[in-house]
Amino acid sequence: MKSWTRREFGRLTGAALLTALNQPKARGQAKARVVVIGGGIGGATVAKYLAATATAIEVTLVEPRQSYATCFFSNLYLAGLRPFESLSHGYEALAKQYGITVIHESAAAIHPAVKTVALNNGSKLSYDRLVVAPGIAFRDRALNGYDEAAMEIMPHAWNAGQQTRLLRQQLESMEDGGLFVLVAPPNPFRCPPAPYERASLVASYFQRRKPKAKILILDAKDSFNAQDLFQDAWNRHYPGMIEWLPAQFTGGVTAIDAKTRSVITEGATFKAAVANVIPAQMAGRLAQQAGLANQSGWCPVDPVTFESALQPGVHLVGDAIIGWDMPKSAFCANSQAKACAFAIAADLTGSARFPAHLFNTCYTYLAPDDAFSNAISFKPVDGKLKSVISFISKVEESSEVRRQAARAAEGWYDAFTHDVFG
């Protein structure tokens, strides 16, 4: 099982890019200006790797939050296995070590025709290239009755922060013997294995603290990512605790009644002690407003440069894009961001072009000492991103292999977040 170090991670994900981008620039030549909107994994990575050419490109990162909390590994926090503070990462290193101008403000509008970004404080930023990493938004009226007020009673916890803390508090306060209902969303959505990892780790918490509790997963789908691995683990670790009901069985979730904490399907109503409702998703609101998303709700891009197919001069990375075979994961966002930075730098500075190396690798917990991993590489084929080499853990792996994966995951997290935030 691979044990990740920061040096090895850098070799895999960006060292060649840094070498290519660090090309001398003629004196007196004006710096190219790149504005990056969104300081999540994709946006922060683009900003950092472009700023490696500080003499050539002036990078501005627009992000309203003072720190970013990762959604990945937040399920460990829900299970009482990791402090929330360990999920939070600031932007100080990006500003001090890489010379990025970090503006803690929200973008109000994008004006591609004049290449400006309007901020909520009334100021404007001009750019030569714009990168938008807007993340996800929930689809309007995806579930009848599930509005902002209902989210404070039946949290989604799909953007790490206050919602995650709220769900943790509710799980801690739930009486032993209570029912935890998790509503899993339709495809595509952020981090395909995460709802089922959440159910697994909450089950591990219940085993320790509330052994009479039950978990019910009401799914919008009839199958899910790594289903064989999860269901094998549920039978081994949590027999009789987790029940998964596919859409073909329930007819799908149609409404939420926050007053009674009930989830309503076509065939039945399920009353929960605690409910975690994860709605259908689409590209973030800014992408919708700026005309960067098509009728699918997601953003089409060039698979090599990640330039928008709808707005020239604007690039997109991360969960908001149509990634074809690439899932909506943090590692994919990071990998796309480096390819995007490579392409922008080549266009603006004349630096050498290299083929993009696109990967996804991640770890998923089934129990505190049982994790599985995957590693997939992608390349552009006929205008789409296609998987070319893949590995995923198997059901028949030994318990020792799984324990090693759980340990390796910790090193992966530290190396990955250091690669993003410095």
Side-chain angles (χ1 to χ4, degrees):
M1 182 57 60
K2 178 66 177 174
S3 178
W4 292 93
T5 67
R6 290 174 181 173
R7 181 175 297 176
E8 289 168 330
F9 198 94
R11 282 204 301 268
L12 170 66
T13 59
L17 174 61
L18 287 175
T19 300
L21 296 186
N22 275 309
Q23 302 292 331
K25 190 173 180 67
R27 286 186 180 178
Q29 188 174 345
K31 291 183 178 181
R33 297 165 299 178
V34 176
V35 174
V36 180
I37 300 175
I41 299 301
T45 301
V46 169
K48 176 181 174 179
Y49 276 79
L50 277 173
T53 57
T55 58
I57 297 176
E58 180 181 289
V59 182
T60 300
L61 177 63
V62 178
E63 167 55 52
R65 296 165 292 191
Q66 296 291 323
S67 63
Y68 175 81
T70 61
C71 291
F72 53 99
F73 277 48
S74 65
N75 289 332
L76 291 167
Y77 164 74
L78 292 175
L81 300 171
R82 190 180 183 100
F84 189 82
E85 292 70 26
S86 71
L87 304 174
S88 297
H89 306 273
Y91 299 96
E92 296 82 7
L94 296 182
K96 294 177 181 178
Q97 296 180 27
Y98 294 91
I100 297 168
T101 300
V102 180
I103 300 176
H104 291 296
E105 186 57 75
S106 294
I110 297 168
H111 303 291
V114 292
K115 293 190 174 182
T116 63
V117 175
L119 304 183
N120 276 354
N121 63 8
S123 62
K124 291 185 178 181
L125 300 173
S126 298
Y127 64 83
D128 295 300
R129 288 295 177 95
L130 176 66
V131 182
V132 183
I136 60 151
F138 298 126
R139 290 185 181 271
D140 296 331
R141 299 177 294 279
L143 290 172
N144 186 32
Y146 196 64
D147 54 17
E148 290 188 7
M151 291 177 186
E152 296 303 311
I153 300 170
M154 304 165 75
H156 56 78
W158 218 238
N159 291 311
Q162 182 271 337
Q163 280 270 306
T164 318
R165 293 180 185 272
L166 175 60
L167 182 55
R168 168 76 179 271
Q169 291 166 3
Q170 291 183 353
L171 291 169
E172 290 177 330
S173 300
M174 190 183 90
E175 292 185 4
D176 192 9
L179 176 65
F180 172 52
V181 176
L182 189 156
V183 177
N187 292 323
F189 63 96
R190 168 185 285 167
C191 197
Y196 314 97
E197 180 193 61
R198 179 169 293 180
S200 303
L201 289 177
V202 169
S204 77
Y205 168 72
F206 285 164
Q207 272 190 337
R208 301 191 307 272
R209 301 294 180 88
K210 306 174 193 293
K212 298 178 183 178
K214 301 292 184 182
I215 298 173
L216 175 63
I217 303 172
L218 298 175
D219 213 321
K221 306 175 293 299
D222 292 328
S223 61
F224 60 89
N225 182 273
Q227 184 170 341
D228 57 340
L229 290 163
F230 280 108
Q231 292 185 324
D232 171 72
W234 296 344
N235 289 331
R236 288 187 291 110
H237 295 302
Y238 321 111
M241 182 177 282
I242 300 175
E243 182 180 10
W244 172 73
L245 296 182
Q248 64 184 359
F249 182 84
T250 65
V253 174
T254 58
I256 300 297
D257 185 346
K259 292 182 180 179
T260 61
R261 276 198 172 88
S262 296
V263 179
I264 302 164
T265 70
E266 283 190 4
T269 296
F270 300 89
K271 183 172 171 52
V274 175
N276 175 204
V277 180
I278 307 169
Q281 295 156 36
M282 62 181 181
R285 298 292 177 189
L286 184 63
Q288 308 291 336
Q289 295 165 5
L292 298 170
N294 64 18
Q295 66 275 10
S296 73
W298 303 100
C299 303
V301 296
D302 181 279
V304 176
T305 65
F306 293 89
E307 185 172 8
S308 170
L310 303 177
Q311 293 285 3
V314 179
H315 299 250
L316 295 113
V317 294
D319 295 338
I321 75 163
I322 297 172
W324 298 283
D325 285 357
M326 288 192 88
K328 299 183 185 302
S329 76
F331 201 100
C332 283
N334 174 265
S335 187
Q336 294 160 8
K338 289 167 182 172
C340 179
F342 198 123
I344 291 172
D347 284 346
L348 295 181
T349 70
S351 60
R353 291 182 180 272
F354 290 85
H357 296 284
L358 297 166
F359 302 94
N360 184 48
T361 185
C362 65
Y363 292 84
T364 302
Y365 284 87
L366 301 166
D369 61 350
D370 185 348
F372 70 87
S373 63
N374 67 42
I376 309 171
S377 65
F378 308 87
K379 69 176 183 179
V381 178
D382 297 328
K384 299 180 179 180
L385 289 167
K386 295 294 185 180
S387 61
V388 289
I389 302 174
S390 64
F391 161 82
I392 187 167
S393 296
K394 307 298 183 185
V395 168
E396 58 269 19
E397 287 175 339
S398 69
S399 58
E400 179 56 29
V401 168
R402 297 294 183 79
R403 280 193 293 270
Q404 290 176 6
R407 290 193 293 269
E410 293 291 334
W412 175 91
Y413 183 91
D414 291 342
F416 181 67
T417 53
H418 182 266
D419 179 65
V420 175
F421 296 102

